[in-house]
Amino acid sequence: MPSQLQNIADIVTASAGWKKAVPDDGGAFHFALEGGLDFQLFTPDSRTAVLLADLGASPAPGSTQGDEELKRLASVAAASLKKRRSAFAIAGERLELSRTFPLQEGDEQALRLLLRDFLNDLAWWKQQVKGGSANSSSTASSSPFSLGGWFSGF
């Protein structure tokens, strides 16, 4: 019987029209989308699912430019807390975005919505990291994932 994590990966691949995904040796599923929207799906404890995306190198602290960029990203992160459910973080020398949820959460439609929201957040954060305005926002109507976009099931 397929695991719940495999079922979630199958929702992603079926929605995108891809072949069934196979986990790596560590049990994580990796997805690469157009526009550099790459992410992985894994579980650290067999109860929680994690969607994780690398957003690139963290600005170097200690320089004026690096410190200013870190302040800008912190401001964007704080301002986005009410609208975005994914967590932006600095992990060592990398910026990342993650979203956790119980493996047993909801039905297929609820999981599709959760995945769509994560992908919308990922696309939005990619823009912010590139230097987008802290006041820019991504609405459902402008999202590549809200009206079918790349994932017809979303």
Side-chain angles (χ1 to χ4, degrees):
M1 176 177 216
S3 72
Q4 183 63 18
L5 195 62
Q6 179 70 56
N7 290 338
I8 295 167
D10 290 347
I11 289 170
V12 173
T13 57
S15 296
W18 298 335
K19 291 183 202 176
K20 186 173 182 170
V22 177
D24 65 16
D25 292 340
F29 293 88
H30 300 268
F31 301 97
L33 287 70
E34 293 177 14
L37 300 179
D38 304 341
F39 68 99
Q40 59 181 301
L41 168 68
F42 64 94
T43 180
D45 59 10
S46 300
R47 293 185 313 266
T48 305
V50 178
L51 296 167
L52 179 66
D54 182 79
L55 295 171
S58 174
S63 69
T64 302
Q65 185 178 4
D67 288 346
E68 287 302 314
E69 182 62 6
L70 288 170
K71 285 179 189 176
R72 184 187 72 79
L73 290 172
S75 176
V76 170
S80 70
L81 288 174
K82 284 189 174 184
K83 286 188 166 187
R84 310 251 170 233
R85 293 187 183 173
S86 302
F88 172 77
I90 299 173
E93 296 180 0
R94 306 298 296 173
L95 301 174
E96 57 184 36
L97 188 70
S98 64
R99 174 105 182 245
T100 61
F101 58 97
L103 273 175
Q104 304 301 321
E105 180 174 298
D107 59 11
E108 186 171 322
Q109 184 59 27
L111 288 170
R112 286 178 190 271
L113 293 172
L114 186 143
L115 289 164
R116 183 200 65 196
D117 289 346
F118 177 75
L119 291 171
N120 285 335
D121 288 353
L122 178 54
W124 187 82
W125 269 106
K126 282 280 191 176
Q127 286 184 317
Q128 302 315 305
V129 169
K130 285 181 185 175
S133 167
N135 295 324
S136 71
S137 64
S138 176
T139 63
S141 62
S142 66
S143 164
F145 307 105
S146 60
L147 299 174
W150 295 326
F151 292 92
S152 61
F154 294 126

